[in-house]
Amino acid sequence: MARKIGSHSKITGPRVRQAALTLFARHGYAAVSMRQIASAVGVQAGALYNYTADKQALLFDLMQTHMEDLLAALDRCPDHGDPQMRLETFARFHIRYHLDCPDLVFIAYMELRNLTAANFAVIEGLRRRYELRLQNILEAGQKAGVFEMPDIKVASMAIIAMLTGITTWYREEGRLSRAQVEEIYLGMVRKAVNA
Amino acid sequence: MARKIGSHSKITGPRVRQAALTLFARHGYAAVSMRQIASAVGVQAGALYNYTADKQALLFDLMQTHMEDLLAALDRCPDHGDPQMRLETFARFHIRYHLDCPDLVFIAYMELRNLTAANFAVIEGLRRRYELRLQNILEAGQKAGVFEMPDIKVASMAIIAMLTGITTWYREEGRLSRAQVEEIYLGMVRKAVNA
DNA sequence: GTCTATACGATGATAGAC
DNA sequence: GTCTATCATCGTATAGAC
């Protein structure tokens, strides 16, 4: 079990982020100590500072990377032009992406208040951009006469809250499969905008 | 400014809980110290332990009282028998109650992981009872043929998530009044179950 | 790059004076 | 019922050996 000498930064760096992710999601940012993270990685607390400026940067990196990945993945989805198809694509994407990385989603939502003001502004901006993607779809559908809703912004927030809520109760071993859940929620999304 | 001699427990007790509520909601349970709470109340940290066994009990009391008040208030709503009316009553109640005490709602949702296992079980039980109230309404409506949905439990979770989500964006000084928001969401709830 | 050692303040909680 | 004083522990972060 002799420890290799030399550079481990390519390996240890990601492991630090992974350990922080898991621990932050489980216990919350403020409740997790650098010593705990170090212990999960198998190094001493001091060694962590080779990979992050401080604890705050660790949290911010996780959240920023997550939000940017989310936006990039959404933009990689095919755009069929038809608002109804675009809404379906958005809903399916949102559900799948959120079920795929529940820890990141959880942190991105729960730990906003533990960000510094400057970091918070960055994450909030990314979140706005994501919400705007859905609002654009709803607007296009309303103009085309295929959606009908009293308020686009409210509808977008309601849809996102509804879909994201899946992560609070869905269990992989549960009664329903992902595909089933996806269909049920897609139906509710369609009905919400009278599609 | 002479401090009154004698019992202040009737006054200080609630002030301790109020300070804890505000601070926990703003910064999170783990990030708030007993000294901060004491400072907000205007006493020394040691004095807090006349009103709570420890920090955990402070959190648990807030959450338990909130959930029990929520259930009791819901049960005080009139029951018109008709499932459509019952659903409307539930939705309006949920929106109003949650907008009335956003701090308690926020804590009850965000601080679940900071509860001990035993305390968590109690709160989780109360939450289940609340969700069951909505499920009962949906079931009655489905049996009466006035609601139609693929899955009652999923529909209940989706509706609750959607409604609770209002607290994340609603601002008293914002573009929409409470009444407007209530009507918009009520419409979406009805459509979600084909009422 | 990781270790040990350490700085130094903050933490939850208690004891005893008043 | 509140204070002051205190305990033991833990917090983040750094310095220097290897």
Side-chain angles (χ1 to χ4, degrees), chain B residues 7-8 12 43-44 50-51:
Chain B
S7 170
H8 287 169
T12 310
V43 299
Q44 294 298 313
N50 290 315
Y51 306 100

Side-chain angles (χ1 to χ4, degrees), chain A residues 87 91 95 138 155 158-163 165-166 169 176 180-195, chain B residues 134 138 148-162 187-194:
Chain A
L87 180 62
I95 295 171
L138 297 182
I159 289 171
I160 288 176
M162 189 174 76
L163 295 181
I166 300 175
W169 62 265
L176 298 168
Q180 287 174 308
V181 172
E182 201 174 299
E183 294 308 319
I184 294 174
Y185 272 82
L186 184 58
M188 286 191 287
V189 168
R190 283 206 193 97
K191 282 186 276 185
V193 297
N194 288 312
Chain B
L134 175 56
L138 298 182
E148 192 189 328
M149 72 212 89
D151 191 284
I152 287 175
K153 282 191 182 175
V154 170
S156 74
M157 298 308 283
I159 288 171
I160 288 176
M162 190 174 77
M188 285 191 287
V189 168
R190 285 206 191 96
K191 283 187 275 185
V193 298
N194 288 311

Side-chain angles (χ1 to χ4, degrees), chain A residues 60-78:
Chain A
F60 177 65
D61 281 354
L62 286 172
M63 292 175 72
Q64 187 182 33
T65 304
H66 165 64
M67 290 305 297
E68 283 173 350
D69 286 351
L70 179 71
L71 272 165
L74 175 62
D75 289 343
R76 257 182 270 118
C77 287

